[in-house]
Amino acid sequence: MSQTSVNLSRRQLFTRREIPDWPALPWLKEAQFTDLCTQCGECVKHCPTQIIRPADGGFPRVDFQQGECTFCYQCAEVCPEPLFLPKTEPAWQAKAVIDATCLAEQNVDCRSCGDSCEPFAIRFKLAVGRVAEPQIDISSCTGCGACVSICPTSAITINKRHLGSEHVTA
Ligand code: SF4
Ligand code: SF4
Ligand code: SF4
């Protein structure tokens, strides 16, 4: 099982924030999204954790600052358009990414994200003379977003281009 250490330079951090790259909705056929979505708002109304909000141009999008995705498939079931993959497919490939605003970078101890992660995908690497640093195990991370709103410095994002990205170093 590979572990992924995340350490960003400030430049990399700002670059990523200028181009948000979080997923829109789980199981979404992204290529057809803007053509087929009528912005009816059914998914917004039926998400039990209320994380779907109208975003750019009125299109729905998950907002992990509101909570986590439980992968209940409700948004897909209520959508009247053929916009979603079957539930048997992976919901998405997105994973959590931790940036340089993590308190561990300032040698401040914090384990909030680890406590919020049900699949235990956040491990803390011990280092001599420093506080433990969180690392995402991408093979365990589901991209649920439970760790996002809990972070006191907003250091965590759910990124669908986590693999091969300059933001993640193996
Ligand atoms: S799968 Fe469920 S919790 Fe996740 S966005 Fe859709 S309705 Fe909300
Ligand atoms: S919750 Fe945020 S600040 Fe705390 S360890 Fe996790 S990423 Fe770092
Ligand atoms: S997105 Fe979910 S599974 Fe991944 S690290 Fe955060 S809480 Fe854990």
Side-chain angles (χ1 to χ4, degrees), residues 12-63:
Q12 287 169 328
L13 167 64
F14 291 140
T15 300
R16 179 160 57 77
R17 285 198 170 158
E18 282 159 14
I19 310 167
D21 203 15
W22 58 89
L25 294 167
W27 288 284
L28 186 68
K29 297 175 189 168
E30 296 215 15
Q32 289 152 278
F33 184 35
T34 52
D35 286 339
L36 293 183
C37 175
T38 61
Q39 305 183 356
C40 67
E42 286 301 305
C43 56
V44 177
K45 270 190 275 178
H46 286 87
C47 175
T49 54
Q50 300 184 318
I51 63 167
I52 307 179
R53 298 288 165 101
D56 299 344
F59 290 104
R61 185 171 279 275
V62 290
D63 177 0

Short mmCIF file of all heavy atoms in Angstrom, two decimals, residues 12-63:
data_model
loop_
_atom_site.label_atom_id
_atom_site.label_comp_id
_atom_site.label_asym_id
_atom_site.label_seq_id
_atom_site.Cartn_x
_atom_site.Cartn_y
_atom_site.Cartn_z
N GLN A 12 2.95 26.52 -6.00
CA GLN A 12 2.09 25.43 -6.45
C GLN A 12 0.70 25.58 -5.85
O GLN A 12 -0.30 25.36 -6.50
CB GLN A 12 2.69 24.09 -6.05
CG GLN A 12 3.90 23.73 -6.89
CD GLN A 12 4.64 22.53 -6.31
OE1 GLN A 12 4.65 22.35 -5.10
NE2 GLN A 12 5.24 21.76 -7.17
N LEU A 13 0.66 25.96 -4.58
CA LEU A 13 -0.62 26.12 -3.91
C LEU A 13 -1.48 27.15 -4.62
O LEU A 13 -2.64 26.93 -4.92
CB LEU A 13 -0.36 26.56 -2.47
CG LEU A 13 -1.56 27.07 -1.68
CD1 LEU A 13 -2.57 25.95 -1.51
CD2 LEU A 13 -1.11 27.60 -0.34
N PHE A 14 -0.92 28.31 -4.92
CA PHE A 14 -1.71 29.35 -5.55
C PHE A 14 -2.13 28.93 -6.96
O PHE A 14 -3.23 29.21 -7.39
CB PHE A 14 -0.93 30.66 -5.60
CG PHE A 14 -0.75 31.27 -4.24
CD1 PHE A 14 0.45 31.85 -3.88
CD2 PHE A 14 -1.78 31.23 -3.31
CE1 PHE A 14 0.61 32.40 -2.61
CE2 PHE A 14 -1.62 31.78 -2.05
CZ PHE A 14 -0.41 32.36 -1.69
N THR A 15 -1.26 28.24 -7.66
CA THR A 15 -1.61 27.79 -9.00
C THR A 15 -2.83 26.90 -8.94
O THR A 15 -3.77 27.05 -9.71
CB THR A 15 -0.43 27.01 -9.62
OG1 THR A 15 0.67 27.88 -9.67
CG2 THR A 15 -0.78 26.55 -11.02
N ARG A 16 -2.86 25.99 -7.99
CA ARG A 16 -3.99 25.07 -7.91
C ARG A 16 -5.27 25.81 -7.54
O ARG A 16 -6.35 25.51 -8.02
CB ARG A 16 -3.70 23.97 -6.89
CG ARG A 16 -4.85 23.00 -6.77
CD ARG A 16 -4.39 21.69 -6.17
NE ARG A 16 -3.77 21.87 -4.89
CZ ARG A 16 -4.46 22.09 -3.78
NH1 ARG A 16 -5.75 22.21 -3.82
NH2 ARG A 16 -3.83 22.23 -2.64
N ARG A 17 -5.17 26.77 -6.65
CA ARG A 17 -6.38 27.45 -6.21
C ARG A 17 -6.97 28.33 -7.31
O ARG A 17 -8.15 28.61 -7.31
CB ARG A 17 -6.09 28.28 -4.96
CG ARG A 17 -5.97 27.33 -3.77
CD ARG A 17 -6.12 28.02 -2.47
NE ARG A 17 -6.24 27.02 -1.41
CZ ARG A 17 -5.97 27.25 -0.16
NH1 ARG A 17 -5.54 28.42 0.21
NH2 ARG A 17 -6.12 26.31 0.75
N GLU A 18 -6.13 28.77 -8.23
CA GLU A 18 -6.67 29.56 -9.33
C GLU A 18 -7.46 28.68 -10.30
O GLU A 18 -8.31 29.15 -11.03
CB GLU A 18 -5.52 30.24 -10.09
CG GLU A 18 -4.98 31.46 -9.35
CD GLU A 18 -3.58 31.81 -9.80
OE1 GLU A 18 -3.13 31.31 -10.83
OE2 GLU A 18 -2.93 32.59 -9.08
N ILE A 19 -7.12 27.39 -10.34
CA ILE A 19 -7.81 26.48 -11.26
C ILE A 19 -8.41 25.35 -10.42
O ILE A 19 -7.82 24.28 -10.28
CB ILE A 19 -6.82 25.90 -12.29
CG1 ILE A 19 -6.03 27.02 -12.94
CG2 ILE A 19 -7.56 25.08 -13.34
CD1 ILE A 19 -4.83 26.57 -13.72
N PRO A 20 -9.61 25.57 -9.84
CA PRO A 20 -10.20 24.54 -9.00
C PRO A 20 -10.43 23.27 -9.79
O PRO A 20 -10.84 23.33 -10.95
CB PRO A 20 -11.54 25.15 -8.56
CG PRO A 20 -11.43 26.60 -8.82
CD PRO A 20 -10.46 26.75 -9.95
N ASP A 21 -10.18 22.15 -9.18
CA ASP A 21 -10.26 20.90 -9.92
C ASP A 21 -10.93 19.82 -9.08
O ASP A 21 -10.51 18.69 -9.07
CB ASP A 21 -8.86 20.46 -10.32
CG ASP A 21 -8.92 19.52 -11.52
OD1 ASP A 21 -9.98 19.46 -12.17
OD2 ASP A 21 -7.92 18.86 -11.78
N TRP A 22 -11.98 20.21 -8.39
CA TRP A 22 -12.69 19.23 -7.61
C TRP A 22 -13.82 18.64 -8.46
O TRP A 22 -14.27 19.26 -9.43
CB TRP A 22 -13.23 19.83 -6.31
CG TRP A 22 -14.15 20.99 -6.48
CD1 TRP A 22 -15.50 20.94 -6.62
CD2 TRP A 22 -13.78 22.38 -6.53
NE1 TRP A 22 -16.00 22.21 -6.75
CE2 TRP A 22 -14.99 23.11 -6.69
CE3 TRP A 22 -12.58 23.08 -6.44
CZ2 TRP A 22 -15.00 24.49 -6.79
CZ3 TRP A 22 -12.60 24.46 -6.53
CH2 TRP A 22 -13.80 25.15 -6.71
N PRO A 23 -14.29 17.43 -8.12
CA PRO A 23 -15.32 16.80 -8.94
C PRO A 23 -16.66 17.50 -8.80
O PRO A 23 -16.94 18.12 -7.77
CB PRO A 23 -15.38 15.38 -8.39
CG PRO A 23 -14.87 15.49 -7.00
CD PRO A 23 -13.88 16.62 -6.98
N ALA A 24 -17.51 17.42 -9.82
CA ALA A 24 -18.83 18.07 -9.78
C ALA A 24 -19.80 17.24 -8.95
O ALA A 24 -20.34 17.69 -7.95
CB ALA A 24 -19.36 18.30 -11.19
N LEU A 25 -20.02 16.00 -9.38
CA LEU A 25 -20.95 15.11 -8.69
C LEU A 25 -20.42 13.68 -8.83
O LEU A 25 -19.77 13.36 -9.82
CB LEU A 25 -22.35 15.17 -9.34
CG LEU A 25 -23.11 16.49 -9.22
CD1 LEU A 25 -24.30 16.49 -10.18
CD2 LEU A 25 -23.57 16.75 -7.80
N PRO A 26 -20.73 12.80 -7.86
CA PRO A 26 -20.28 11.41 -7.99
C PRO A 26 -21.01 10.71 -9.14
O PRO A 26 -22.17 11.02 -9.43
CB PRO A 26 -20.65 10.79 -6.63
CG PRO A 26 -21.75 11.66 -6.10
CD PRO A 26 -21.48 13.04 -6.62
N TRP A 27 -20.35 9.78 -9.75
CA TRP A 27 -20.88 8.95 -10.85
C TRP A 27 -21.27 9.76 -12.09
O TRP A 27 -21.94 9.26 -12.97
CB TRP A 27 -22.10 8.12 -10.40
CG TRP A 27 -21.75 7.01 -9.49
CD1 TRP A 27 -21.18 5.81 -9.82
CD2 TRP A 27 -21.96 6.96 -8.08
NE1 TRP A 27 -21.01 5.04 -8.70
CE2 TRP A 27 -21.49 5.72 -7.61
CE3 TRP A 27 -22.49 7.86 -7.15
CZ2 TRP A 27 -21.54 5.35 -6.28
CZ3 TRP A 27 -22.55 7.49 -5.81
CH2 TRP A 27 -22.08 6.24 -5.40
N LEU A 28 -20.86 11.00 -12.14
CA LEU A 28 -21.29 11.88 -13.23
C LEU A 28 -20.56 11.55 -14.53
O LEU A 28 -19.35 11.32 -14.54
CB LEU A 28 -20.99 13.33 -12.84
CG LEU A 28 -21.50 14.39 -13.80
CD1 LEU A 28 -23.04 14.44 -13.78
CD2 LEU A 28 -20.93 15.75 -13.42
N LYS A 29 -21.31 11.55 -15.65
CA LYS A 29 -20.68 11.46 -16.97
C LYS A 29 -20.27 12.90 -17.33
O LYS A 29 -21.06 13.65 -17.91
CB LYS A 29 -21.66 10.92 -18.01
CG LYS A 29 -22.12 9.50 -17.74
CD LYS A 29 -23.20 9.13 -18.77
CE LYS A 29 -23.87 7.82 -18.43
NZ LYS A 29 -25.09 7.60 -19.24
N GLU A 30 -19.08 13.26 -16.94
CA GLU A 30 -18.68 14.67 -17.01
C GLU A 30 -18.74 15.26 -18.41
O GLU A 30 -19.07 16.42 -18.58
CB GLU A 30 -17.28 14.84 -16.42
CG GLU A 30 -17.27 14.48 -14.94
CD GLU A 30 -16.33 15.34 -14.13
OE1 GLU A 30 -15.89 16.39 -14.62
OE2 GLU A 30 -16.03 14.95 -13.00
N ALA A 31 -18.42 14.45 -19.42
CA ALA A 31 -18.38 14.97 -20.79
C ALA A 31 -19.75 15.47 -21.26
O ALA A 31 -19.85 16.33 -22.12
CB ALA A 31 -17.85 13.90 -21.73
N GLN A 32 -20.82 14.91 -20.68
CA GLN A 32 -22.17 15.29 -21.12
C GLN A 32 -22.85 16.26 -20.15
O GLN A 32 -23.99 16.66 -20.37
CB GLN A 32 -23.03 14.03 -21.25
CG GLN A 32 -22.63 13.17 -22.43
CD GLN A 32 -22.95 11.72 -22.18
OE1 GLN A 32 -22.21 11.01 -21.52
NE2 GLN A 32 -24.08 11.27 -22.70
N PHE A 33 -22.13 16.61 -19.11
CA PHE A 33 -22.76 17.35 -18.01
C PHE A 33 -23.42 18.65 -18.47
O PHE A 33 -24.63 18.84 -18.31
CB PHE A 33 -21.69 17.62 -16.95
CG PHE A 33 -22.19 18.29 -15.71
CD1 PHE A 33 -23.45 18.01 -15.19
CD2 PHE A 33 -21.37 19.18 -15.02
CE1 PHE A 33 -23.89 18.62 -14.02
CE2 PHE A 33 -21.81 19.80 -13.86
CZ PHE A 33 -23.07 19.52 -13.35
N THR A 34 -22.66 19.53 -19.04
CA THR A 34 -23.24 20.85 -19.36
C THR A 34 -24.22 20.79 -20.53
O THR A 34 -25.08 21.65 -20.67
CB THR A 34 -22.12 21.88 -19.66
OG1 THR A 34 -21.24 21.33 -20.65
CG2 THR A 34 -21.34 22.22 -18.41
N ASP A 35 -24.12 19.75 -21.35
CA ASP A 35 -25.09 19.62 -22.45
C ASP A 35 -26.44 19.09 -21.94
O ASP A 35 -27.49 19.53 -22.40
CB ASP A 35 -24.57 18.63 -23.51
CG ASP A 35 -23.46 19.25 -24.33
OD1 ASP A 35 -23.38 20.49 -24.37
OD2 ASP A 35 -22.67 18.49 -24.92
N LEU A 36 -26.40 18.14 -21.02
CA LEU A 36 -27.64 17.45 -20.63
C LEU A 36 -28.27 17.96 -19.34
O LEU A 36 -29.47 17.79 -19.13
CB LEU A 36 -27.38 15.94 -20.51
CG LEU A 36 -27.05 15.19 -21.80
CD1 LEU A 36 -26.89 13.71 -21.52
CD2 LEU A 36 -28.13 15.41 -22.85
N CYS A 37 -27.49 18.52 -18.45
CA CYS A 37 -28.06 18.99 -17.18
C CYS A 37 -28.95 20.21 -17.44
O CYS A 37 -28.53 21.18 -18.06
CB CYS A 37 -26.95 19.36 -16.20
SG CYS A 37 -27.60 20.08 -14.66
N THR A 38 -30.20 20.12 -16.98
CA THR A 38 -31.17 21.21 -17.19
C THR A 38 -31.22 22.16 -15.99
O THR A 38 -32.05 23.06 -15.95
CB THR A 38 -32.58 20.64 -17.42
OG1 THR A 38 -32.95 19.90 -16.25
CG2 THR A 38 -32.61 19.73 -18.64
N GLN A 39 -30.38 21.91 -15.00
CA GLN A 39 -30.34 22.72 -13.78
C GLN A 39 -31.68 22.66 -13.04
O GLN A 39 -32.11 23.65 -12.46
CB GLN A 39 -29.93 24.15 -14.09
CG GLN A 39 -28.61 24.22 -14.85
CD GLN A 39 -28.17 25.65 -15.11
OE1 GLN A 39 -28.85 26.62 -14.79
NE2 GLN A 39 -26.99 25.80 -15.69
N CYS A 40 -32.32 21.49 -13.08
CA CYS A 40 -33.64 21.35 -12.45
C CYS A 40 -33.56 21.41 -10.93
O CYS A 40 -34.56 21.67 -10.26
CB CYS A 40 -34.29 20.04 -12.88
SG CYS A 40 -33.45 18.56 -12.26
N GLY A 41 -32.40 21.10 -10.38
CA GLY A 41 -32.22 21.22 -8.92
C GLY A 41 -32.66 20.00 -8.12
O GLY A 41 -32.64 20.02 -6.90
N GLU A 42 -33.03 18.91 -8.80
CA GLU A 42 -33.48 17.72 -8.07
C GLU A 42 -32.36 17.14 -7.19
O GLU A 42 -32.60 16.73 -6.07
CB GLU A 42 -33.99 16.66 -9.05
CG GLU A 42 -35.34 16.96 -9.65
CD GLU A 42 -36.42 17.12 -8.59
OE1 GLU A 42 -36.60 16.20 -7.77
OE2 GLU A 42 -37.09 18.17 -8.58
N CYS A 43 -31.16 17.11 -7.73
CA CYS A 43 -30.04 16.56 -6.95
C CYS A 43 -29.76 17.45 -5.73
O CYS A 43 -29.47 16.96 -4.63
CB CYS A 43 -28.79 16.40 -7.80
SG CYS A 43 -28.25 17.91 -8.63
N VAL A 44 -29.88 18.75 -5.92
CA VAL A 44 -29.66 19.69 -4.82
C VAL A 44 -30.66 19.41 -3.70
O VAL A 44 -30.31 19.34 -2.52
CB VAL A 44 -29.79 21.15 -5.31
CG1 VAL A 44 -29.64 22.14 -4.16
CG2 VAL A 44 -28.78 21.45 -6.41
N LYS A 45 -31.92 19.19 -4.09
CA LYS A 45 -33.00 18.98 -3.10
C LYS A 45 -32.85 17.66 -2.35
O LYS A 45 -33.21 17.56 -1.19
CB LYS A 45 -34.36 18.96 -3.82
CG LYS A 45 -35.01 20.32 -3.94
CD LYS A 45 -36.45 20.18 -4.43
CE LYS A 45 -36.51 20.10 -5.92
NZ LYS A 45 -37.85 19.92 -6.49
N HIS A 46 -32.34 16.64 -3.03
CA HIS A 46 -32.38 15.30 -2.44
C HIS A 46 -31.09 14.84 -1.78
O HIS A 46 -31.07 13.75 -1.21
CB HIS A 46 -32.81 14.30 -3.52
CG HIS A 46 -34.26 14.37 -3.84
ND1 HIS A 46 -34.76 15.24 -4.79
CD2 HIS A 46 -35.33 13.73 -3.32
CE1 HIS A 46 -36.08 15.11 -4.85
NE2 HIS A 46 -36.45 14.21 -3.97
N CYS A 47 -30.03 15.59 -1.86
CA CYS A 47 -28.78 15.14 -1.21
C CYS A 47 -28.95 15.18 0.30
O CYS A 47 -29.16 16.24 0.88
CB CYS A 47 -27.62 16.05 -1.63
SG CYS A 47 -26.10 15.64 -0.76
N PRO A 48 -28.86 14.02 0.96
CA PRO A 48 -29.11 13.98 2.41
C PRO A 48 -28.10 14.80 3.22
O PRO A 48 -28.44 15.27 4.31
CB PRO A 48 -28.99 12.50 2.77
CG PRO A 48 -28.87 11.76 1.51
CD PRO A 48 -28.57 12.70 0.40
N THR A 49 -26.90 14.95 2.73
CA THR A 49 -25.92 15.74 3.49
C THR A 49 -25.87 17.19 3.01
O THR A 49 -25.07 17.98 3.52
CB THR A 49 -24.52 15.10 3.39
OG1 THR A 49 -24.18 14.92 2.01
CG2 THR A 49 -24.45 13.77 4.11
N GLN A 50 -26.71 17.51 2.06
CA GLN A 50 -26.87 18.90 1.57
C GLN A 50 -25.56 19.52 1.10
O GLN A 50 -25.28 20.68 1.37
CB GLN A 50 -27.51 19.76 2.65
CG GLN A 50 -28.90 19.23 3.02
CD GLN A 50 -29.62 20.11 4.01
OE1 GLN A 50 -29.02 20.60 4.97
NE2 GLN A 50 -30.90 20.32 3.79
N ILE A 51 -24.77 18.70 0.42
CA ILE A 51 -23.49 19.23 -0.06
C ILE A 51 -23.56 19.66 -1.52
O ILE A 51 -22.59 20.17 -2.06
CB ILE A 51 -22.34 18.21 0.12
CG1 ILE A 51 -22.58 16.94 -0.71
CG2 ILE A 51 -22.12 17.90 1.58
CD1 ILE A 51 -21.35 16.05 -0.81
N ILE A 52 -24.70 19.46 -2.18
CA ILE A 52 -24.79 19.87 -3.59
C ILE A 52 -25.36 21.28 -3.64
O ILE A 52 -26.43 21.55 -3.08
CB ILE A 52 -25.66 18.91 -4.42
CG1 ILE A 52 -25.16 17.46 -4.24
CG2 ILE A 52 -25.62 19.30 -5.89
CD1 ILE A 52 -25.99 16.43 -5.01
N ARG A 53 -24.64 22.14 -4.30
CA ARG A 53 -25.05 23.55 -4.42
C ARG A 53 -24.97 23.97 -5.88
O ARG A 53 -24.12 23.48 -6.62
CB ARG A 53 -24.09 24.44 -3.61
CG ARG A 53 -24.07 24.15 -2.11
CD ARG A 53 -25.38 24.64 -1.52
NE ARG A 53 -25.61 24.11 -0.19
CZ ARG A 53 -25.41 24.78 0.94
NH1 ARG A 53 -24.91 26.00 0.88
NH2 ARG A 53 -25.69 24.24 2.09
N PRO A 54 -25.80 24.92 -6.29
CA PRO A 54 -25.62 25.48 -7.63
C PRO A 54 -24.29 26.23 -7.67
O PRO A 54 -23.98 27.00 -6.77
CB PRO A 54 -26.80 26.45 -7.79
CG PRO A 54 -27.76 26.08 -6.70
CD PRO A 54 -26.94 25.51 -5.58
N ALA A 55 -23.52 25.97 -8.69
CA ALA A 55 -22.20 26.63 -8.80
C ALA A 55 -22.12 27.39 -10.11
O ALA A 55 -23.09 28.02 -10.52
CB ALA A 55 -21.10 25.59 -8.67
N ASP A 56 -20.99 27.30 -10.80
CA ASP A 56 -20.77 28.06 -12.04
C ASP A 56 -21.92 27.91 -13.02
O ASP A 56 -22.26 26.80 -13.42
CB ASP A 56 -19.49 27.57 -12.74
CG ASP A 56 -18.28 27.76 -11.86
OD1 ASP A 56 -18.38 28.52 -10.88
OD2 ASP A 56 -17.25 27.14 -12.16
N GLY A 57 -22.53 29.00 -13.42
CA GLY A 57 -23.58 28.97 -14.42
C GLY A 57 -24.84 28.28 -13.94
O GLY A 57 -25.71 27.94 -14.75
N GLY A 58 -24.96 28.01 -12.65
CA GLY A 58 -26.16 27.36 -12.12
C GLY A 58 -26.07 25.84 -12.10
O GLY A 58 -26.98 25.17 -11.63
N PHE A 59 -24.97 25.27 -12.61
CA PHE A 59 -24.83 23.81 -12.61
C PHE A 59 -24.50 23.32 -11.20
O PHE A 59 -23.73 23.95 -10.48
CB PHE A 59 -23.72 23.38 -13.58
CG PHE A 59 -24.09 23.58 -15.02
CD1 PHE A 59 -23.56 24.65 -15.74
CD2 PHE A 59 -24.98 22.71 -15.64
CE1 PHE A 59 -23.92 24.84 -17.06
CE2 PHE A 59 -25.33 22.90 -16.98
CZ PHE A 59 -24.81 23.96 -17.69
N PRO A 60 -25.10 22.18 -10.81
CA PRO A 60 -24.86 21.66 -9.47
C PRO A 60 -23.43 21.14 -9.29
O PRO A 60 -22.83 20.65 -10.24
CB PRO A 60 -25.86 20.52 -9.34
CG PRO A 60 -26.11 20.08 -10.75
CD PRO A 60 -25.98 21.32 -11.61
N ARG A 61 -22.95 21.24 -8.07
CA ARG A 61 -21.59 20.81 -7.77
C ARG A 61 -21.49 20.52 -6.27
O ARG A 61 -22.09 21.23 -5.47
CB ARG A 61 -20.62 21.94 -8.15
CG ARG A 61 -19.15 21.60 -8.00
CD ARG A 61 -18.29 22.68 -8.59
NE ARG A 61 -18.16 22.56 -10.03
CZ ARG A 61 -17.26 21.78 -10.64
NH1 ARG A 61 -16.41 21.08 -9.93
NH2 ARG A 61 -17.20 21.71 -11.95
N VAL A 62 -20.74 19.50 -5.91
CA VAL A 62 -20.57 19.24 -4.49
C VAL A 62 -19.69 20.32 -3.86
O VAL A 62 -18.75 20.81 -4.49
CB VAL A 62 -19.96 17.84 -4.21
CG1 VAL A 62 -20.95 16.74 -4.54
CG2 VAL A 62 -18.66 17.65 -4.96
N ASP A 63 -20.01 20.67 -2.64
CA ASP A 63 -19.24 21.66 -1.89
C ASP A 63 -18.87 21.01 -0.56
O ASP A 63 -19.70 20.90 0.35
CB ASP A 63 -20.09 22.91 -1.67
CG ASP A 63 -19.36 23.95 -0.82
OD1 ASP A 63 -18.21 23.68 -0.41
OD2 ASP A 63 -19.94 25.01 -0.55
#
